[in-house]
Amino acid sequence: MSLEFEKVELGEKGKQAKRQEKLKHFKRTLVYMGIGAVISLAVSYLTEGATITALNSEEIANSLLLGGFVGFFLTNSPCARGRC
């Protein structure tokens, strides 16, 4: 009883599929970062007194960066990619 295996060659189709998957993941990461930034800005806006003038540019930038990081982490953490 001998086992025979066929050699698998991915070639250009395999490379193209991998490139498409990376592009899809990159787009998903950008979307989640944008959503996280908007949610973080909304929470800051609502907790600081519901006036945009109550937030200065530094607070706005900090909340956008924090939300963007959360969105980035959600799509690129090991558990999000099925590697826990």
Side-chain angles (χ1 to χ4, degrees), residues 1-8:
M1 180 174 186
S2 92
L3 298 174
E4 294 184 24
F5 299 99
E6 293 181 24
K7 186 176 180 181
V8 177

Side-chain angles (χ1 to χ4, degrees), residues 25-40:
H25 180 72
F26 180 73
K27 287 179 180 179
R28 185 177 340 132
T29 299
L30 288 180
V31 167
Y32 274 70
M33 287 175 71
I35 290 170
V38 168
I39 289 173
S40 179

Side-chain angles (χ1 to χ4, degrees), residues 27-56:
K27 287 179 180 179
R28 185 177 340 132
T29 299
L30 288 180
V31 167
Y32 274 70
M33 287 175 71
I35 290 170
V38 168
I39 289 173
S40 179
L41 184 61
V43 167
S44 295
Y45 175 75
L46 293 174
T47 59
E48 293 293 328
T51 58
I52 199 68
T53 57
L55 297 174
N56 61 23

Side-chain angles (χ1 to χ4, degrees), residues 45-82:
Y45 175 75
L46 293 174
T47 59
E48 293 293 328
T51 58
I52 199 68
T53 57
L55 297 174
N56 61 23
S57 61
E58 184 178 333
E59 291 172 340
I60 291 172
N62 285 340
S63 68
L64 289 175
L65 287 172
L66 179 65
F69 174 74
V70 169
F72 178 80
F73 183 74
L74 286 176
T75 56
N76 291 300
S77 69
C79 290
R81 302 188 85 183

